[in-house]
Amino acid sequence: MGPSGSGKSTFLHCAAGLDQPSSGSVHLGDTDISRLKSKARSIFRRDHIGFVFQAYNLLGALTVEQNVTLPLLLAGHRADDPYLTFVLEAVGLGSHRKRTPSELSGGQQQRVAIARALITRPDALFADEPTGALDSRSAKQVLELLRCTSAEFDQTVVMVTHDPVAASYADRVLFLADGELVGHLDRPTPAQVADRMTHLGDW
């Protein structure tokens, strides 16, 4: 969390291997992904990292099932149907697999994006404002889903958010200001997060 311009998205993109940091290093497990060449980094990201974009980035001509399995198709792998069913059920879309994005609500589309990020069984899942465009009910469902999948799939989930309520679902909230980490809170309440955010300008 942090004010606009604090470096949240840049941090997330560097941590996920989407951008190359100008200094420092990024480790996922035993791999320093910041030292990988572009092609090797893309392959590593494909195999070990899931990313949930704020804009969903779904393809309108494809069904839910086709959107979710697209990363596997691009990697030349076949979908494991029992696991696909498990993931779709986990995100509450088991009965929607043949629908297209235009037939879904915003919250359902975000769940498709999360299922797509989970289908490769990544070690880490990164989410950029995953509830930013959702109503409060859909946002609550998506946040509960992220907590559940973190435990279910034994994954690290890293999320950027402006919302103190969304942040309160995390085990730890890191605060950024002017491109630097300036503090953290463990399992905070929304009120504690909001209070810290109001004082970030004085760090």
Side-chain angles (χ1 to χ4, degrees):
M1 296 194 76
S4 296
S6 60
K8 298 185 300 296
S9 291
T10 299
F11 175 85
L12 197 71
H13 289 181
C14 287
L18 294 171
D19 287 338
Q20 185 83 3
S22 53
S23 62
S25 59
V26 179
H27 293 260
L28 182 59
D30 296 327
T31 303
D32 182 350
I33 63 176
S34 50
R35 289 185 176 274
L36 298 176
K37 296 263 204 275
S38 179
K39 185 176 181 182
R41 193 166 69 249
S42 292
I43 292 170
F44 183 87
R45 192 171 61 236
R46 182 191 73 197
D47 294 340
H48 299 280
I49 293 172
F51 202 98
V52 182
F53 295 91
Q54 186 176 357
Y56 314 148
N57 289 353
L58 304 180
L59 297 179
L62 301 184
T63 64
V64 166
E65 181 177 320
Q66 290 168 331
N67 268 289
V68 169
T69 57
L70 187 60
L72 296 173
L73 179 68
L74 295 174
H77 302 311
R78 287 177 59 84
D80 173 3
D81 200 58
Y83 184 68
L84 171 61
T85 299
F86 172 70
V87 169
L88 288 173
E89 292 288 347
V91 301
L93 293 171
S95 61
H96 293 68
R97 55 197 300 166
K98 298 304 180 186
R99 295 189 183 182
T100 59
S102 64
E103 299 174 286
L104 303 175
S105 68
Q108 289 170 327
Q109 290 183 48
Q110 185 63 295
R111 288 188 225 170
V112 176
I114 292 170
R116 182 183 55 197
L118 292 172
I119 197 64
T120 58
R121 297 184 170 125
D123 299 310
L125 179 71
F126 294 86
D128 190 3
E129 294 277 5
T131 60
L134 304 180
D135 61 76
S136 58
R137 182 171 174 232
S138 296
K140 184 173 186 287
Q141 291 173 339
V142 165
L143 291 165
E144 288 174 348
L145 172 62
L146 286 174
R147 271 216 70 86
C148 177
T149 54
S150 172
E152 190 83 34
F153 298 99
D154 192 27
Q155 289 168 325
T156 296
V157 175
V158 181
M159 173 176 69
V160 162
T161 182
H162 281 96
D163 181 3
V165 173
S168 70
Y169 279 77
D171 295 312
R172 170 167 287 189
V173 180
L174 301 173
F175 295 93
L176 285 86
D178 299 329
E180 293 187 30
L181 289 169
V182 295
H184 73 270
L185 291 171
D186 290 332
R187 297 309 306 267
T189 64
Q192 289 172 319
V193 174
D195 182 65
R196 180 66 65 90
M197 284 291 289
T198 60
H199 294 98
L200 273 186
D202 315 325
W203 73 272

